[in-house]
Amino acid sequence: MWVSDQIAPHPVTRAFVKAIQQTGMPYNSDFNGETMYGAGLYQVTCRDGRRRSSATSYLRPIRNRKNLKVVTGARVARIVLEGDQAVGVELMGKRDSTLVRAKREVLISAGAINSPRLLMLSGIGDAEELRKVGIQPLVNLPGVGKNLQDHLCTNVHMQTKEPITYDGHDKFPKAWLHGLQWLLYRTGPVSSVIVEGGGFFKSEGEDRPDLQIHIAPATVVKGGQVSIPGFGFTVNSTFLRPLSRGSVTLRSNDPEDLPLVDPNYLSDPHDRKMAIYSIRKIRQVLSQPAIASLVAHERLPGVDVQTDEELLAYARQYACCDYHPVGTCKMGNDPLAVVDAELKVHGVKGLRVIDSSIMPVLPSGNTNAPAIMIGEKGADLVRNHQALPASTESSGSSQLPSNISRILSGVANEQC
């Protein structure tokens, strides 16, 4: 993965970083260094103004390999078990289904929502819950779909005195001019990651940062789902170690039916306390001279919202997720653990889960790099594994290399 400094952070971002320093926080030139504590500009997985996704960095360079086949427009309906052995996956096409058999292992890499969903559709999960939706339990693993964790983002939205932010820049004619600038020079707003800088804070009694606050030099309400008139910027805050736990369950036994996802945000009292604290901390930063001189007024929650009860009600209404779900197939040996230290599913041979769902606890930061690390570590674990016994092979089934079963399972009920 390519990691680089940003090309040209927005002036509002720079003013916000300076405002954090004015509260007494130190400047941090490298959040990936000795400590995250302090204020600074984020490093990004970009180069030359273009994001480096995992597909760009890992898949694209090897897409012409003979032992790689990517199947699109298909769904993985279930993992096929013979006794306690995973031998392949059932692949749903537009007209019929195909059994794709693995020569070595079936590897699931579908994320914290779809990996447990696929296991449950295959009869692997809480036996009682599976029976309720008409699925015959094959392996009783009560922890499948439990322990869901995610970062919740609580925001404050500000109106600026002048139209100096990115609001409106995604519309004609500005959007066309920015697109042309990016095509010619790989610079400008199109090269921005929007959330460009901020700080990592310590709440009282903590010896390491537990709160991240960062700015987007544009108005982003409820993750962009709600529009409000005017122009300004949004300050986001994330409590890094939430205690609330949610779940992923099945709505039915239909592989095309979406799962029921209950993140259970703010169910723990400490998470509610931190949501309130984070808004107060944001307001403290915004009162500093470096950023206050740019602000006309607070748009949301508004200066009239001051009590703990009012702030919590606002957080419940306007908070949004950070898209960091983990934990639903967690690694360990306790009663709710789903995989062991080698990412093998308990009670099933020839089956591993290799994605963010195996994290027992949510990291104190973004999950992109940790998820990629899990992929690399999982690949190392798989390389030395023995092939399946010859008795599990069937001349009547589709014979494809094990890495194809891995890719198919990675789709996990999602249309490519």
Side-chain angles (χ1 to χ4, degrees):
M1 294 296 293
W2 287 356
V3 177
S4 65
D5 293 322
Q6 297 174 59
I7 295 175
H10 196 282
V12 171
T13 299
R14 295 185 180 276
F16 185 74
V17 171
K18 185 176 292 185
I20 297 176
Q21 293 174 258
Q22 289 175 342
T23 68
M25 296 268 287
Y27 180 75
N28 190 335
S29 62
D30 184 6
F31 289 124
N32 298 305
E34 181 179 357
T35 178
M36 295 192 303
Y37 181 67
L41 299 170
Y42 297 131
Q43 292 179 330
V44 293
T45 50
C46 301
R47 181 166 291 183
D48 299 326
R50 186 172 184 177
R51 182 179 180 182
R52 295 286 298 194
S53 68
S54 55
T56 301
S57 295
Y58 289 86
L59 184 59
R60 188 173 297 173
I62 63 162
R63 62 176 180 240
N64 295 322
R65 284 187 182 177
K66 294 181 179 180
N67 67 339
L68 172 66
K69 181 177 180 179
V70 178
V71 179
T72 62
R75 292 176 182 267
V76 177
R78 65 186 179 97
I79 304 157
V80 180
L81 300 183
E82 292 181 358
D84 62 352
Q85 180 80 54
V87 298
V89 295
E90 180 184 340
L91 182 64
M92 294 176 60
K94 294 182 179 179
R95 298 180 180 178
D96 53 16
S97 61
T98 304
L99 171 60
V100 182
R101 299 187 71 96
K103 292 183 177 179
R104 295 177 63 184
E105 296 181 277
V106 177
L107 312 179
I108 307 302
S109 185
I113 305 300
N114 276 317
S115 283
R117 173 195 187 194
L118 183 55
L119 290 178
M120 289 185 284
L121 286 169
S122 309
I124 304 169
D126 187 298
E128 182 177 350
E129 292 182 1
L130 294 180
R131 290 190 185 97
K132 289 180 180 178
V133 293
I135 295 176
Q136 177 63 37
L138 300 177
V139 180
N140 183 26
L141 279 181
V144 175
K146 307 298 192 299
N147 192 48
L148 175 62
Q149 303 163 52
D150 192 6
H151 286 134
L152 189 66
C153 182
T154 305
N155 320 301
V156 173
H157 305 276
M158 308 300 292
Q159 172 84 21
T160 54
K161 295 176 180 177
E162 304 292 337
I164 57 176
T165 63
Y166 285 138
D167 286 338
H169 285 244
D170 57 339
K171 297 178 175 61
F172 178 83
K174 292 181 179 179
W176 285 31
L177 294 174
H178 296 325
L180 180 61
Q181 179 183 356
W182 185 84
L183 289 172
L184 293 175
Y185 307 110
R186 294 295 191 268
T187 60
V190 178
S191 67
S192 169
V193 296
I194 302 301
V195 179
E196 302 168 324
F200 287 89
F201 298 72
K202 300 176 186 177
S203 63
E204 185 176 355
E206 294 291 328
D207 59 358
R208 60 191 176 107
D210 62 342
L211 179 65
Q212 181 181 7
I213 298 177
H214 44 267
I215 188 172
T219 304
V220 185
V221 184
K222 286 190 174 181
Q225 300 176 50
V226 176
S227 298
I228 56 177
F231 43 84
F233 60 83
T234 297
V235 182
N236 305 303
S237 66
T238 298
F239 174 39
L240 297 176
R241 292 186 287 280
L243 301 180
S244 300
R245 299 291 183 266
S247 64
V248 176
T249 55
L250 294 180
R251 187 188 304 268
S252 73
N253 58 10
D254 184 352
E256 296 193 40
D257 209 354
L258 295 176
L260 296 171
V261 181
D262 179 11
N264 207 22
Y265 295 125
L266 300 177
S267 59
D268 188 276
H270 189 59
D271 294 358
R272 297 195 291 271
K273 174 184 174 182
M274 290 302 297
I276 297 168
Y277 171 79
S278 66
I279 296 175
R280 298 195 187 282
K281 180 59 68 172
I282 289 173
R283 284 173 165 174
Q284 179 191 4
V285 174
L286 293 175
S287 69
Q288 304 305 311
I291 192 76
S293 61
L294 306 177
V295 172
H297 60 269
E298 181 179 298
R299 306 164 85 183
L300 290 172
V303 294
D304 293 336
V305 178
Q306 293 292 337
T307 69
D308 286 356
E309 292 76 13
E310 291 170 336
L311 292 174
L312 182 58
Y314 167 78
R316 290 187 183 281
Q317 182 177 2
Y318 283 95
C320 58
C321 74
D322 271 342
Y323 303 100
H324 295 164
V326 307
T328 50
C329 298
K330 76 168 188 172
M331 180 174 59
N333 296 311
D334 60 277
L336 290 182
V338 177
V339 301
D340 63 15
E342 294 186 334
L343 309 186
K344 297 177 181 179
V345 176
H346 291 300
V348 184
K349 298 177 182 177
L351 179 63
R352 301 193 209 218
V353 178
I354 307 177
D355 58 38
S356 64
S357 69
I358 66 95
M359 297 181 186
V361 179
L362 185 61
S364 300
N366 291 15
T367 52
N368 183 43
I372 293 170
M373 178 278 296
I374 290 170
E376 293 197 358
K377 178 63 177 180
D380 289 341
L381 293 171
V382 169
R383 289 175 66 181
N384 296 322
H385 190 63
Q386 298 297 316
L388 292 176
S391 61
T392 64
E393 300 295 342
S394 171
S395 58
S397 301
S398 174
Q399 298 291 325
L400 296 174
S402 61
N403 64 312
I404 296 178
S405 292
R406 170 176 58 82
I407 292 171
L408 293 176
S409 299
V411 175
N413 307 303
E414 288 299 311
Q415 293 286 354
C416 287

